[in-house]
Amino acid sequence: NFGCGSDGKLPGWINVDLSPDAAPDVVADLAKDLPFATGSVDFIHTEDFIAALELDQAKHFLRECARILKPTGVMRVLTPDLARLCQSYLEQPAWLVATWDRTVGVPLATRSACEVVNLGVRLAGRFHYDAPTFRQVAAECGLRAEEVSWNQSEHPELRNLDLRAPESSVSMYLQCYPEATGR
């Protein structure tokens, strides 16, 4: 469970984070080489972490995830969906502000969807993805990415892990599979 923070630890998983204050099982800088053997991991979960990386760091992270996954392994990725954020700004500004208030809680000076977009992009990370861009980046790193539904997976180990539901977030939900040609 990469980038677990203190609030996103998963029981029964190896929880990994940069901050020792989060009390993870493993302290590691996920922008660097991952401290796991090649082909040793069945499942990876990461929620709201990959956007915290610059694009080149994210590519390194995804390559490392492809490296450590077993050929039948699966990586579940949740990250803010830039397309959904922008669409909500244009089509559901009141929902966007209400969702921000309910889930983020950082005070808004203007109480506007414009401010939510500005703060959301600034506070949530360094590079934000839409689904086509994430699929492209993942493919460059040896992973085939598919959009999936919230808390749903063909793998029981990856079900019901997602913290951010679609009705209260702008998250997208993806599963990534190692491509034989990506290694």
Side-chain angles (χ1 to χ4, degrees):
N1 180 25
F2 290 136
C4 65
S6 53
D7 297 335
K9 289 189 232 167
L10 298 175
W13 286 69
I14 298 171
N15 295 284
V16 183
D17 200 271
L18 176 63
S19 174
D21 294 340
D25 301 307
V26 175
V27 174
D29 184 345
L30 299 174
K32 300 189 178 192
D33 292 351
L34 299 177
F36 299 96
T38 299
S40 65
V41 175
D42 290 305
F43 299 105
I44 295 171
H45 181 270
T46 182
E47 184 163 352
D48 288 348
F49 166 70
I50 196 155
L53 299 173
E54 297 289 351
L55 182 57
D56 60 330
Q57 294 173 320
K59 287 181 178 182
H60 182 79
F61 172 70
L62 291 172
R63 282 188 195 99
E64 280 291 286
C65 289
R67 178 187 66 78
I68 68 170
L69 277 171
K70 292 180 179 177
T72 57
V74 182
M75 176 181 186
R76 188 166 183 93
V77 177
L78 282 73
T79 190
D81 181 349
L82 185 59
R84 183 152 188 232
L85 176 64
C86 293
Q87 183 178 14
S88 297
Y89 165 75
L90 293 172
E91 298 173 6
Q92 299 177 297
W95 174 86
L96 192 59
V97 170
T99 299
W100 178 272
D101 288 342
R102 197 172 46 259
T103 61
V104 180
V106 173
L108 297 171
T110 66
R111 306 286 314 138
S112 69
C114 175
E115 186 177 5
V116 169
V117 171
N118 277 281
L119 284 175
V121 168
R122 188 174 330 123
L123 297 176
R126 299 181 188 270
F127 191 90
H128 298 275
Y129 300 86
D130 58 14
T133 303
F134 186 86
R135 282 194 304 272
Q136 175 189 337
V137 170
E140 291 172 17
C141 299
L143 295 166
R144 178 177 46 86
E146 297 177 0
E147 287 184 80
V148 293
S149 297
W150 177 67
N151 272 331
Q152 299 300 309
S153 175
E154 68 273 19
H155 303 279
E157 298 86 349
L158 295 174
R159 290 184 200 142
N160 300 312
L161 300 176
D162 309 341
L163 297 176
R164 288 166 183 56
E167 63 272 3
S168 61
S169 75
V170 294
S171 294
M172 65 177 155
Y173 315 90
L174 304 120
Q175 285 188 179
C176 303
Y177 307 87
E179 296 280 26
T181 58
R183 295 203 174 165

